[in-house]
Amino acid sequence: MAEPTKRACVLILGGTGFIGRNLVHYLVQNELVSKVRVVDKVPPLMAWLNANHTASFASPLVEFKQCNLINPGSVDAAFALDDGQFDYVFNLAAETKYGQTEPVYKEGIIRLSHNCSTTAASHKVKLYMEFSTGQMYSSEKTEEEDTKPVTEETKCEPWTQMAKHKLEVERDLENIPDLEYIIVRPAVVYGIGDRNSITPRLTIGAIYKYINEKMKMLWTKDLKMNTVHVDDLCRAIWHLCYHGKRGEIYNIVDKGDTDQGKISRLVSEIFDINFDFVGSLMSNMAKINMQHVVEDINDKHMAPWADACHRDGIASTPLNPFIDQELLYNKHLYLDGSKLELSCTFQF
């Protein structure tokens, strides 16, 4: 599909979140749209936007609507336009916190996404893009077993509760008549505005600098944690709007082949601290009582973090070093992005 000369009209659901705010900024700064409607429960003034993102949200091209998309009436309001309809709808709205209960995920992921996708089909939008996750594959292979990156066709065995519910959403999309959709499965997304992927590890690095101790981590340096910068993600999904095949799934991942060792080395260099890994043997012993181990880890980090914030006069911050148990499993996030690369017929 060739890129038109007319600028697109875009709806971003969950648009004040980490990826959403960066997507708004990308579309506005590159003059790619005639209109962006941002829908979220959290208004921009309460979303900890930085100066650049605040400026983009203040653009006359951007309209914000505060809606709870679990409510079908709110979804109808989000899609309603006085003149015309949206060309592209990006669904970034979902429950993104780890460690929530089954009912929370069913309502905040499955019900919400079904409301949005069926409404998109009824409005006959050109493309509805569902943001899923790369946590769909539960490999625990070690480096000796020649772990290979997984493709979109690899059998799904999601290893977080969030991913399990995202998979249900993916399957639901297949059964919605007249829906033109694409599913994207990003690797670990990092960049400006990140709070929950790489940033907690940076925060933990700052804590070990503060308490003057060596930073120790579960498993080994070879645990795959593939990444993609949020700016590259935004370029990739805009590319897919015009060049992606409808009804397909695309992994989005960079070429860094990032693993736990690389991330830990960078954190240690930034904060000038030492680090080490406890290894597979000790980690497997910890796995027997993982909940207790994770509670101890978080308890060790939270008090020094509160002390450091108090020392520097920080009364309120969106950052904290808490890491959920699901993110400490011995699960590789190792994606093959060649399908997206094959669709790249022009230079980003």
Side-chain angles (χ1 to χ4, degrees):
M1 183 187 297
E3 292 187 56
T5 55
K6 182 182 177 182
R7 293 177 185 172
C9 183
V10 170
L11 173 61
I12 304 177
L13 307 172
T16 61
F18 165 44
I19 297 173
R21 68 186 63 188
N22 281 281
L23 180 56
V24 171
H25 184 65
Y26 172 76
L27 296 176
V28 170
Q29 290 298 303
N30 290 283
E31 301 180 344
L32 297 171
V33 292
S34 61
K35 176 185 179 67
V36 180
R37 176 179 289 171
V38 178
V39 174
D40 208 305
K41 290 189 298 184
V42 181
L45 288 175
M46 298 180 65
W48 300 87
L49 301 182
N50 64 28
N52 288 334
H53 293 161
T54 298
S56 289
F57 271 72
S59 165
L61 299 177
V62 178
E63 173 196 15
F64 176 77
K65 276 185 175 289
Q66 187 173 15
C67 294
N68 183 348
L69 298 172
I70 295 173
N71 183 334
S74 294
V75 179
D76 290 337
F79 277 79
L81 274 179
D82 293 333
D83 182 24
Q85 62 182 24
F86 292 104
D87 297 303
Y88 305 119
V89 177
F90 301 94
N91 184 26
L92 290 153
E95 177 56 65
T96 58
K97 293 180 181 178
Y98 292 95
Q100 304 301 299
T101 64
E102 181 85 3
V104 169
Y105 286 127
K106 281 189 176 295
E107 186 173 60
I109 294 179
I110 297 174
R111 180 180 172 186
L112 181 151
S113 295
H114 183 77
N115 288 345
C116 296
S117 56
T118 52
T119 304
S122 68
H123 282 257
K124 300 189 183 302
V125 300
K126 290 181 181 178
L127 176 67
Y128 176 84
M129 188 173 292
E130 178 70 34
F131 282 71
S132 189
T133 174
Q135 298 169 341
M136 288 292 177
Y137 320 98
S138 59
S139 172
E140 293 190 11
K141 292 181 179 179
T142 65
E143 64 277 13
E144 292 84 5
E145 295 174 293
D146 192 25
T147 305
K148 294 181 180 180
V150 295
T151 70
E152 294 83 352
E153 286 71 42
T154 302
K155 181 182 177 182
C156 290
E157 295 179 356
W159 51 273
T160 65
Q161 287 298 317
M162 190 187 307
K164 290 175 183 176
H165 290 83
K166 285 287 189 181
L167 182 57
E168 289 192 43
V169 170
E170 291 186 14
R171 291 168 175 165
D172 182 53
L173 295 181
E174 300 174 3
N175 300 314
I176 298 175
D178 303 319
L179 180 65
E180 298 288 336
Y181 71 91
I182 284 176
I183 297 166
V184 294
R185 292 176 179 166
V188 176
V189 186
Y190 71 100
I192 295 175
D194 164 41
R195 300 181 200 172
N196 301 314
S197 56
I198 302 297
T199 298
R201 291 178 180 262
L202 290 168
T203 306
I204 289 169
I207 289 169
Y208 280 91
K209 177 70 172 181
Y210 179 72
I211 63 177
N212 193 29
E213 290 186 15
K214 179 187 286 188
M215 183 173 66
K216 292 186 178 181
M217 286 148 290
L218 293 172
W219 310 111
T220 71
K221 64 180 179 60
D222 300 295
L223 182 66
K224 297 292 185 180
M225 295 179 62
N226 282 184
T227 55
V228 61
H229 193 279
V230 69
D231 290 348
D232 294 326
L233 176 61
C234 291
R235 285 193 286 269
I237 61 180
W238 191 247
H239 166 79
L240 287 172
C241 287
Y242 297 101
H243 301 277
K245 185 177 179 181
R246 274 40 178 173
E248 293 289 315
I249 300 171
Y250 292 88
N251 292 337
I252 304 182
V253 59
D254 63 28
K255 291 286 195 178
D257 192 24
T258 311
D259 55 30
Q260 186 172 228
K262 289 183 179 180
I263 293 174
S264 299
R265 283 193 295 274
L266 288 171
V267 172
S268 71
E269 289 173 8
I270 291 170
F271 294 103
D272 190 24
I273 58 175
N274 295 318
F275 71 97
D276 200 359
F277 302 93
V278 301
S280 296
L281 179 61
M282 293 296 294
S283 298
N284 277 312
M285 292 177 64
K287 190 176 176 181
I288 297 171
N289 192 4
M290 195 66 165
Q291 182 177 352
H292 179 73
V293 170
V294 173
E295 288 175 355
D296 285 348
I297 291 171
N298 285 318
D299 286 346
K300 178 180 176 67
H301 297 157
M302 295 303 289
W305 177 245
D307 290 343
C309 289
H310 178 74
R311 179 198 64 182
D312 294 334
I314 300 172
S316 180
T317 173
L319 305 180
N320 74 72
F322 182 87
I323 295 184
D324 190 81
Q325 178 176 328
E326 289 183 308
L327 296 180
L328 294 176
Y329 294 152
N330 185 29
K331 303 291 187 180
H332 292 286
L333 204 164
Y334 194 18
L335 303 181
D336 183 328
S338 58
K339 182 176 179 179
L340 173 61
E341 293 170 22
L342 289 173
S343 74
C344 295
T345 56
F346 71 101
Q347 194 73 29
F348 285 146

